[in-house]
Amino acid sequence: MQISFWGNPMKSIALILCTVVMLAAFAIAQAPTLTALPNTVFVGADGKFETAPDTAMIQFNISTQADTAKAAYEQASKAAEATRQVLRANSIDPKSAEIGFFSVNPMYDWKNPKRKVIGYQVTTSVSLKLRDFAKIGPITQQLADADVSESQALSYTLENIDEAKTKAVADAYRRARASAQALATASGRTLGELSYASVDTAENIRIFAPMQRKGGPMMAMDSVAPPTQEFTPQEVTVTAHVNAMFVLK
């Protein structure tokens, strides 16, 4: 039987072995190794906590192109000022908006063998947290009207995520203890104190594809309801897994 690899076969085998070792090490690190003890019961359970979000996150990019870096930079400055005006119009301090990155990149003619520079692009990302959900519609609409960004993304989260994680862990522990109690009762034993526990928590991460602005002139949206109006923000779900060992009496 002949086995073929793309490229160097020895390198391919080494890469596969390295990947297997890394995955095995990761699995060992994730799963606790316990020594079975007499008169104990080990259980695991999942729990969760769901609640309405208290924070909305609006994310968008300011991107401009021009023949020179200076011209692209000036256009980006004008777009940023238009953004600040939208925020002020909605009683929001522009300083509350956060810049994620800022870049100035040359644009090349890739069809030309000499890779000639044909322009420059300036891009910056902006994110804005809102506690007042009533402002989401006006801000997204006004940003679109101002022709500031080609896309916008909206997501919801919790400002105090630690409290939600605590409640998810409590729910998981309650379920784990109930399972241990059922096992103890079925075996005619009494459930004792907790001797070991491990906890893992996770927050649901929903990735929202940005809504691309279609080409052509902007339509007047003064009489059109915002897309988010009357809809309920999706709940935030925090999950937890608890492994617990109890003494049996």
Side-chain angles (χ1 to χ4, degrees), residues 2-21:
Q2 182 179 0
I3 302 176
S4 61
F5 296 88
W6 290 355
N8 189 318
M10 294 305 297
K11 289 184 177 180
S12 300
I13 295 173
L15 178 60
I16 294 172
L17 291 176
C18 182
T19 303
V20 171
V21 171

Side-chain angles (χ1 to χ4, degrees), residues 5-232:
F5 296 88
W6 290 355
N8 189 318
M10 294 305 297
K11 289 184 177 180
S12 300
I13 295 173
L15 178 60
I16 294 172
L17 291 176
C18 182
T19 303
V20 171
V21 171
M22 291 176 64
L23 290 175
F26 178 77
I28 293 174
Q30 290 294 101
T33 301
L34 296 176
T35 302
L37 299 176
N39 299 314
T40 61
V41 57
F42 181 77
V43 293
D46 295 319
K48 67 178 181 179
F49 176 71
E50 294 180 330
T51 185
D54 58 16
T55 303
M57 175 76 77
I58 299 176
Q59 296 174 302
F60 58 94
N61 289 340
I62 296 175
S63 182
T64 60
Q65 298 179 9
D67 294 336
T68 65
K70 180 180 179 181
Y73 184 86
E74 291 176 349
Q75 291 179 16
S77 297
K78 292 180 180 178
E81 178 56 30
T83 301
R84 288 189 286 270
Q85 291 178 4
V86 169
L87 297 181
R88 294 190 187 102
N90 289 274
S91 302
I92 297 175
D93 187 351
K95 293 182 180 180
S96 62
E98 299 178 351
I99 298 295
F101 68 87
F102 177 85
S103 64
V104 180
N105 298 311
M107 301 173 61
Y108 297 94
D109 180 5
W110 296 103
K111 296 181 180 180
N112 189 328
K114 295 183 178 181
R115 301 294 186 265
K116 181 181 178 181
V117 176
I118 57 176
Y120 291 85
Q121 182 180 53
V122 174
T123 305
T124 182
S125 68
V126 182
S127 60
L128 175 66
K129 292 182 179 180
L130 294 175
R131 302 299 293 271
D132 185 356
F133 292 176
K135 294 182 178 181
I136 295 174
I139 289 177
T140 55
Q141 176 177 321
Q142 290 167 28
L143 288 175
D145 288 340
D147 200 18
V148 169
S149 176
E150 293 186 354
S151 64
Q152 297 180 39
L154 172 65
S155 59
Y156 294 93
T157 186
L158 285 175
E159 191 69 20
N160 188 3
I161 194 67
D162 290 338
E163 182 179 353
K165 289 181 179 180
T166 299
K167 294 180 179 180
V169 170
D171 181 54
Y173 177 75
R174 178 184 60 80
R175 295 171 184 269
R177 187 174 181 84
S179 297
Q181 182 64 63
L183 286 171
T185 301
S187 62
R189 306 287 293 274
T190 301
L191 190 67
E193 68 273 8
L194 176 71
S195 63
Y196 167 85
S198 67
V199 176
D200 290 312
T201 61
E203 177 188 359
N204 62 328
I205 301 176
R206 297 185 176 93
I207 301 176
F208 295 85
M211 298 176 291
Q212 299 291 335
R213 188 182 67 236
K214 296 182 179 180
M218 293 297 298
M219 296 177 60
M221 296 187 291
D222 293 339
S223 60
V224 179
T228 57
Q229 184 171 315
E230 295 187 22
F231 292 126
T232 301

